């Protein structure tokens, strides 16, 4: 089992920055690819960013490419999502996810074994 706890969400204005944190406990953190997803009201959960367990390769949704940065520290069991130039359309509950599966893809919810409870990010105009 892996427990994931997100923090750092809040209410910000368009153009502001925010950093989300995800703390992991349980199994060896470096055994997992990590990702952030988000879900806006009335919409499906969507991929935001992912980072591979060993190489540290990162992947981003087109909508956040160049504005968001995902990073991890395997020694601290932490993953972060730095968000810059936030837009109202970034408003959502953001979820941290962990995948033990070795997969060529990274953006599907079904690939992830463990999920946090989410943290709300609200961006106002």
């Amino acid at each position: 089992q892996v427990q994931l706890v997100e923090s750092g969400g809040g209410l910000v204005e368009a153009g502001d920055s925010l950093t989300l944190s995800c703390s992991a406990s349980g199994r060896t953190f470096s055994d997992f690819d990590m990702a952030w997803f988000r879900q806006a009201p009335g919409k499906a959960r969507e991929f935001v960013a992912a980072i591979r367990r060993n190489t540290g390769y990162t992947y981003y949704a087109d909508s956040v490419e160049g504005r968001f940065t995902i990073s991890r520290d395997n020694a601290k069991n932490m993953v972060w999502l730095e968000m810059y130039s936030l837009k109202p359309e970034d408003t959502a509950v953001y979820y941290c996810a962990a995948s033990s599966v070795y997969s060529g893809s990274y953006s599907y919810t079904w690939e992830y074994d463990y999920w946090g409870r989410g943290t709300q990010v609200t961006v106002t105009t």
Side-chain angles (χ1 to χ4, degrees), residues 37-117:
F37 285 75
R38 67 187 182 187
Q39 189 166 17
K43 295 187 177 181
R45 192 168 297 190
E46 65 173 5
F47 169 75
V48 174
I51 185 166
R52 292 296 193 192
R53 66 196 75 187
N54 294 322
T55 63
Y57 287 164
T58 57
Y59 308 90
Y60 297 94
D62 290 344
S63 59
V64 306
E65 180 82 51
R67 298 190 298 121
F68 290 11
T69 301
I70 188 172
S71 60
R72 68 188 293 165
D73 186 328
N74 288 343
K76 296 182 178 179
N77 293 355
M78 293 288 298
V79 62
W80 297 273
L81 185 68
E82 298 172 75
M83 305 185 293
Y84 302 97
S85 302
L86 282 161
K87 304 176 181 180
E89 51 263 45
D90 294 319
T91 295
V93 177
Y94 283 71
Y95 297 90
C96 178
S99 172
S100 62
V101 176
Y102 282 96
S103 171
S105 60
Y106 47 82
S107 62
Y108 297 104
T109 56
W110 54 260
E111 297 178 284
Y112 293 86
D113 310 281
Y114 303 100
W115 293 84
R117 292 189 172 186

Side-chain angles (χ1 to χ4, degrees), residues 13-62:
E13 295 183 350
D16 284 352
S17 302
L18 203 60
T19 297
L20 305 183
S21 301
C22 175
S23 175
S25 60
R27 289 174 55 186
T28 303
F29 183 67
S30 59
D31 286 346
F32 296 88
D33 293 337
M34 299 298 297
W36 290 93
F37 285 75
R38 67 187 182 187
Q39 189 166 17
K43 295 187 177 181
R45 192 168 297 190
E46 65 173 5
F47 169 75
V48 174
I51 185 166
R52 292 296 193 192
R53 66 196 75 187
N54 294 322
T55 63
Y57 287 164
T58 57
Y59 308 90
Y60 297 94
D62 290 344

